[in-house]
Amino acid sequence: MPLDSGRQEARRVQTSGGALAPDAMARAGGLAGLRWCFEARSASRWMGCRRDAFSQIHLSPLALSSTILLHSQRHYRATLCTELTKPLIIGNIPSASLQPYEVRIRVHCCGVNFADILACQGLYQEKHPLPFTPGMEFSGDVMEAGKAVTRVKKGDRVIGVANTKALAEEYIADQKLLWTIPQGVSYESAAALPVSYGTAILALEHRAQTKPGETVLVTAAAGATGLAVIDVASHILKAKVIAGAGSEKKCSLAFQKGAIQSVNYSETSLREEVKKLTDAQGVNVVIDTIGGDIFKEALHR
């Protein structure tokens, strides 16, 4: 239903659940802004890390876990959560053999999402047995392909999505979950795409079936998922976007991405302002990545 009474019927989408859009990640705006880059060129500095407000997730000094160190086969280094709420460590993991449709990736960059942080605190909706390696999106090069793989070949630059285990030097993926990186796009930029843009595409196209000319309201519009929704809705689906955010600075960022109108819901009622902006007709689609009171207000008649 629209935000207010009218003839239009709004298709509401609250991103929750699913491999690409876990509820906890969506409420945090998708990509947390962390990037882990594996640099094989420097033995003394093989991993680079950029940290932001989620600083509780960090690396301790290089540590090898004797419980998983097997000298009889090739190993690769991976980030390990061995104890919830504690610093992650780097350990050696034995390489696994490929199934026919699987691809071995040399990981260059891995996005760290809010869902990864929750998982390492034991607060995520899926509980991973310890120890586990976090990481849901990545970019890298194809090292090896199974005999039935047809989508990529050795040497291709690819991005992909994962449930876990991508925060490592290597990752084995099903070929269906890989896409080639266009020429000129960096590994860092590519690694930021799968979760946020995957969530936006699933919500707008597959769930809401957004049509050209329709009006889309997106909350938390300045977050990674919100910005991806604005980009896809306005530039690909040719919809009109109203951006909801908690400050004028965030609203300005949403305008830069393609929103045509905005609501600073820290200063005004989201429902009443959208009612004014749409001449009491409401919107066609609501993409909510917050929940709680904002979600209720977005859906209020």
Side-chain angles (χ1 to χ4, degrees), residues 64-70 131:
L64 299 180
S65 174
S66 60
T67 60
I68 62 171
L69 187 58
L70 303 177

Side-chain angles (χ1 to χ4, degrees), residues 37-90:
C37 302
F38 296 90
E39 302 173 354
R41 293 173 297 177
S42 173
S44 63
R45 185 175 175 271
W46 70 276
M47 176 183 280
C49 172
R50 187 169 78 232
R51 296 169 56 186
D52 66 359
F54 298 106
S55 58
Q56 65 267 42
I57 298 298
H58 62 280
L59 289 177
S60 65
L62 184 65
L64 299 180
S65 174
S66 60
T67 60
I68 62 171
L69 187 58
L70 303 177
H71 297 284
S72 60
Q73 63 185 113
R74 191 174 66 84
H75 293 70
Y76 63 91
R77 287 174 291 191
T79 304
L80 296 172
C81 177
T82 59
E83 187 176 357
L84 297 178
T85 73
K86 300 299 182 181
L88 305 182
I89 68 169
I90 300 173

Side-chain angles (χ1 to χ4, degrees), residues 175-188:
Q175 66 169 344
K176 294 182 295 185
L177 300 178
L178 297 174
W179 298 266
T180 55
I181 302 174
Q183 186 176 2
V185 178
S186 69
Y187 289 110
E188 292 84 354

Side-chain angles (χ1 to χ4, degrees), residues 68-231:
I68 62 171
L69 187 58
L70 303 177
H71 297 284
S72 60
Q73 63 185 113
R74 191 174 66 84
H75 293 70
Y76 63 91
R77 287 174 291 191
T79 304
L80 296 172
C81 177
T82 59
E83 187 176 357
L84 297 178
T85 73
K86 300 299 182 181
L88 305 182
I89 68 169
I90 300 173
N92 274 18
I93 301 291
S95 294
S97 59
L98 291 181
Q99 297 299 313
Y101 291 95
E102 291 181 333
V103 179
R104 192 185 313 278
I105 309 298
R106 169 69 68 182
V107 177
H108 281 256
C109 296
C110 179
V112 179
N113 292 274
F114 190 51
D116 294 306
I117 296 171
L118 291 176
C120 292
Q121 295 174 329
L123 302 176
Y124 189 51
Q125 56 202 26
E126 295 181 16
K127 307 300 181 184
H128 306 301
L130 297 173
F132 71 90
T133 296
M136 298 173 61
E137 59 183 350
F138 60 90
S139 63
D141 300 323
V142 174
M143 299 173 60
E144 180 185 0
K147 60 183 180 181
V149 171
T150 58
R151 294 185 57 168
V152 296
K153 63 183 183 302
K154 184 177 180 179
D156 282 352
R157 300 194 318 140
V158 295
I159 59 173
V161 292
N163 186 33
T164 56
K165 302 182 180 180
L167 197 56
E169 286 184 309
E170 294 181 13
Y171 179 74
I172 293 178
D174 188 292
Q175 66 169 344
K176 294 182 295 185
L177 300 178
L178 297 174
W179 298 266
T180 55
I181 302 174
Q183 186 176 2
V185 178
S186 69
Y187 289 110
E188 292 84 354
S189 296
L193 294 175
V195 169
S196 58
Y197 275 81
T199 300
I201 292 169
L202 285 174
L204 288 166
E205 292 195 84
H206 296 268
R207 294 296 298 274
Q209 299 181 0
T210 308
K211 304 294 190 301
E214 290 188 327
T215 301
V216 176
L217 169 64
V218 56
T219 61
T225 301
L227 292 173
V229 167
I230 295 172
D231 194 11

